[in-house]
Amino acid sequence: MCKKVDGGHKKEGTSVTMLPSWMLPHIGQDIWTVFCVESRVERTGRLFLLIFLLLTDSVKGMEWIVPTYPVTTPYVNSMKCWTCVDGAENNYHCNRWAPDVWCPQGTKYCYTFHRMSGNESSLVVKKCATEGQCTVKSVGCRDFGGTNTIRECISCCEGNVCNPEVPRNASDAIFATITPLNSAKRIQPFLWTVLACLLVFYHYRLYS
C-alpha cells in the first residue's frame, strides 16, 4: 500500500522516490507527486506517465507560438500571391492587375516565371502553386543562345504575397521556404523515440 511520507523520508519496507521541487510547476501545484517504487512493472508505468505529463505540458506551453488567423481567412494556412496566370508583359503590369484573392486550398507556394530577351522582360507569369509544382529542381535559370539571348528564370517562395519581384539570375531564382521540407520533418518523431528509449534504459539501470 502506497502511503504519504512526511518530509520525503523513507519508511522501513517502502522505497519512496519524490519528484524534485522544480518539476512540480510543470505538473500542477495542487498535485502531491509521490512515486512508491514497489515493482519493476509499476516503476515502468509511472515513468511513462511522467514522460506523457511532461510532454503534454510542454506542448501546452508552446501554444503561444502557434500563429492565429483572422476569422476572415477561408481556411487555416490560407495565403495570397501576386498572380497573373495568363501572363503579363512585365512585372509592373502583372502586379498592377493582380486580383486580390485567396489561393486555392491545397496550394502552399507562390510561383514566378520570368522570361527576358537581353535585359528586357517579355513575359511574367505568377500563380499559386502546390508542393508538386514547386520543388528544388524546378527553380533556377536557363539561357537559350541566338542573336538575342533569351533567359527564363523560375522561383518559388512560401509566405503571404512573398513574390512581388521577379527572378533575373541564379541568386534570386531560388526555392525560399519558411517551414522545413518533408525530409527534415521526419527527423523529429525519431528523436523523441530515441529520447524515450534512453529514459527507459536509464530507469532500468538505476533501479535494477
Side-chain angles (χ1 to χ4, degrees):
M1 188 83 179
C2 180
K3 297 182 180 180
K4 182 177 178 181
V5 181
D6 295 331
H9 299 292
K10 296 167 79 176
K11 283 189 176 181
E12 187 176 354
T14 305
S15 176
V16 178
T17 302
M18 296 183 60
L19 284 176
S21 59
W22 60 269
M23 280 191 178
L24 294 179
H26 290 279
I27 301 179
Q29 294 289 353
D30 57 337
I31 298 178
W32 177 264
T33 308
V34 177
F35 289 123
C36 296
V37 184
E38 297 174 349
S39 67
R40 178 174 295 183
V41 176
E42 185 178 6
R43 292 198 304 267
T44 303
R46 294 182 185 277
L47 173 65
F48 280 109
L49 177 60
L50 173 62
I51 294 174
F52 173 77
L53 291 175
L54 291 177
L55 291 180
T56 302
D57 189 75
S58 297
V59 172
K60 289 181 180 179
M62 294 172 63
E63 289 178 353
W64 63 273
I65 67 172
V66 178
T68 57
Y69 303 90
V71 294
T72 55
T73 57
Y75 55 88
V76 177
N77 292 328
S78 55
M79 53 177 278
K80 293 181 180 180
C81 297
W82 295 98
T83 57
C84 49
V85 179
D86 296 330
E89 180 182 355
N90 52 46
N91 191 47
Y92 171 78
H93 287 97
C94 176
N95 290 350
R96 180 181 181 184
W97 304 109
D100 185 14
V101 295
W102 294 101
C103 289
Q105 191 167 6
T107 56
K108 186 177 180 180
Y109 304 112
C110 296
Y111 169 97
T112 302
F113 171 87
H114 185 209
R115 178 184 295 160
M116 295 168 286
S117 179
N119 293 325
E120 298 294 328
S121 299
S122 59
L123 178 64
V124 173
V125 176
K126 297 183 179 183
K127 63 180 181 178
C128 306
T130 63
E131 293 185 15
Q133 294 170 327
C134 275
T135 64
V136 175
K137 295 182 179 180
S138 66
V139 301
C141 294
R142 57 179 182 172
D143 295 330
F144 301 91
T147 305
N148 294 322
T149 302
I150 297 176
R151 170 174 290 186
E152 293 181 350
C153 294
I154 297 175
S155 65
C156 289
C157 61
E158 181 184 5
N160 198 37
V161 290
C162 63
N163 62 333
E165 304 298 331
V166 292
R168 295 182 175 276
N169 50 54
S171 64
D172 49 19
I174 59 176
F175 187 18
T177 63
I178 299 174
T179 56
L181 298 178
N182 290 336
S183 58
K185 289 181 180 179
R186 290 194 290 266
I187 299 177
Q188 186 174 358
F190 173 75
L191 292 178
W192 279 117
T193 303
V194 172
L195 177 61
C197 291
L198 290 175
L199 287 173
V200 172
F201 176 76
Y202 174 77
H203 178 78
Y204 274 108
R205 289 295 301 271
L206 184 64
Y207 292 103
S208 297

